[in-house]
Amino acid sequence: SWNIAPTHRVPAVGWRDGRRALRSLRWGLVPHHARTAEDGAKHANARAETIFERPAFRDAAHARRCLVPASGFYEWQRHGRDRTAWAFAPADGPLLALAGLWDRWFAPDGAELRTVALVTTDASDDVRAVHDRMPVILPRGAWDRWLDPRSELDRVREVLCPAPVGTLRGWAVDPRVGHVAHNDPGLLDPPPPARQPSLALG
């Protein structure tokens, strides 16, 4: 997909029996203790600074951490009332490993729903001019530390930081990305030039 939004399904790598396991989850975390599944879209992102304390994320942060592979992500840069869409992709390599939290929720009829939230942190210099937050991007050496629920929390917290400068490249893209009905490679093209007003001479 070229345009994934909350409530869409995403691949995620979790931890099962001491090994990484790939599964499909719905983006927008529904805590296992929620009364309904309606609030999932509100929990698409979780701030790294508070995941171990906030009730919506606390249990998942301790026991159900995951990685979400992605070829990039979008952010919006605000100019007063106007906005510019930007894409960020790995400067080297095909994929990023984004830190996530997952949970399972059971409906009254017993149906199971598995959902995920992305963990965010302060923006690095690669992103800061566009947005003040960014997803936590985990280097390969931190994957198992993040996934393993037996990891010491102090060591887990150490990886919840902005990615090193130079990890990402960014560029302005087509504003159509703001509408999830659009899903094609052209979303990554530079935005069309602004239309100039015409003059009628006579």
Side-chain angles (χ1 to χ4, degrees), residues 11-35:
V13 178
W15 193 255
R16 183 167 54 198
D17 299 327
R19 301 180 62 181
R20 301 174 197 155
L22 182 67
R23 52 173 59 101
S24 174
L25 305 176
R26 195 182 80 175
W27 186 12
L29 188 135
V30 178
H32 64 89
H33 51 74
R35 292 186 177 181

Side-chain angles (χ1 to χ4, degrees), residues 36-53:
T36 72
E38 296 177 357
D39 291 338
K42 297 179 182 178
H43 300 313
N45 298 325
R47 296 177 68 92
E49 298 88 341
T50 58
I51 57 171
F52 293 103
E53 291 78 36

Side-chain angles (χ1 to χ4, degrees), residues 33-84:
H33 51 74
R35 292 186 177 181
T36 72
E38 296 177 357
D39 291 338
K42 297 179 182 178
H43 300 313
N45 298 325
R47 296 177 68 92
E49 298 88 341
T50 58
I51 57 171
F52 293 103
E53 291 78 36
R54 281 197 63 188
F57 305 119
R58 181 176 55 212
D59 292 346
H62 281 85
R64 290 179 290 279
R65 300 186 291 266
C66 64
L67 301 172
V68 177
S71 57
F73 58 91
Y74 299 112
E75 294 289 3
W76 289 90
Q77 183 180 31
R78 294 187 178 276
H79 318 275
R81 295 184 178 180
D82 297 325
R83 301 192 306 166
T84 300

Side-chain angles (χ1 to χ4, degrees), residues 160-182:
L160 298 176
C161 57
V165 175
T167 299
L168 300 169
R169 57 188 180 91
W171 67 99
V173 295
D174 195 314
R176 292 186 302 124
V177 73
H179 301 279
V180 296
H182 300 299

Side-chain angles (χ1 to χ4, degrees), residues 83-136:
R83 301 192 306 166
T84 300
W86 283 70
F88 291 93
D92 182 20
L95 291 176
L96 303 168
L98 308 182
L101 308 172
W102 73 275
D103 212 337
R104 60 168 65 90
W105 178 84
F106 290 94
D109 64 1
E112 183 185 46
L113 175 65
R114 296 190 178 198
T115 57
V116 62
L118 298 181
V119 182
T120 68
T121 186
D122 289 334
S124 71
D125 286 346
D126 290 340
V127 178
R128 189 172 293 115
V130 173
H131 201 276
D132 63 348
R133 303 288 295 181
M134 67 180 293
V136 172

